[in-house]
Amino acid sequence: MTALLGALLSDAGGYLIAAGVGILTIIATYLRGRASGAQRERDRQAAKERDSYAKHIEDIERAADAGRAVRPDDGGMQSDPNNRDNAR
């Protein structure tokens, strides 16, 4: 322990402190990169979910439009001779 304190107080101490700061800087940069990468992944997943939901809503709208476009009694569909379209 005294050797470490002696090294820190001597001329070489500046180099040891600089090395320690450098190592801490590298660790902090690594951790910050991991955090920003995780945030980017969450943002990408949220955008993917929004796109999927928008497509789902469009599919529902198209299905509703198709249902309004053709009705059995407007001549667009031929009536079933066996009356299966009105069976309960």
Side-chain angles (χ1 to χ4, degrees):
M1 186 66 155
T2 57
L4 181 60
L5 288 174
L8 288 175
L9 295 176
S10 70
D11 291 337
Y15 293 113
L16 290 175
I17 292 172
V21 169
I23 289 172
L24 289 176
T25 302
I26 291 170
I27 291 171
T29 303
Y30 171 75
L31 293 176
R32 185 176 172 114
R34 297 233 346 142
S36 71
Q39 181 63 43
R40 221 174 29 243
E41 179 62 28
R42 283 190 298 271
D43 292 344
R44 191 174 66 120
Q45 184 65 28
K48 188 176 178 182
E49 289 174 6
R50 279 192 305 273
D51 291 344
S52 176
Y53 183 71
K55 184 180 180 307
H56 177 67
I57 294 298
E58 289 174 8
D59 289 344
I60 290 172
E61 289 172 354
R62 271 190 262 125
D65 290 341
R68 285 189 291 270
V70 177
R71 295 284 179 227
D73 56 348
D74 67 0
M77 291 177 52
Q78 294 182 352
S79 182
D80 185 8
N82 297 318
N83 203 18
R84 288 179 290 205
D85 52 356
N86 293 325
R88 293 181 191 224

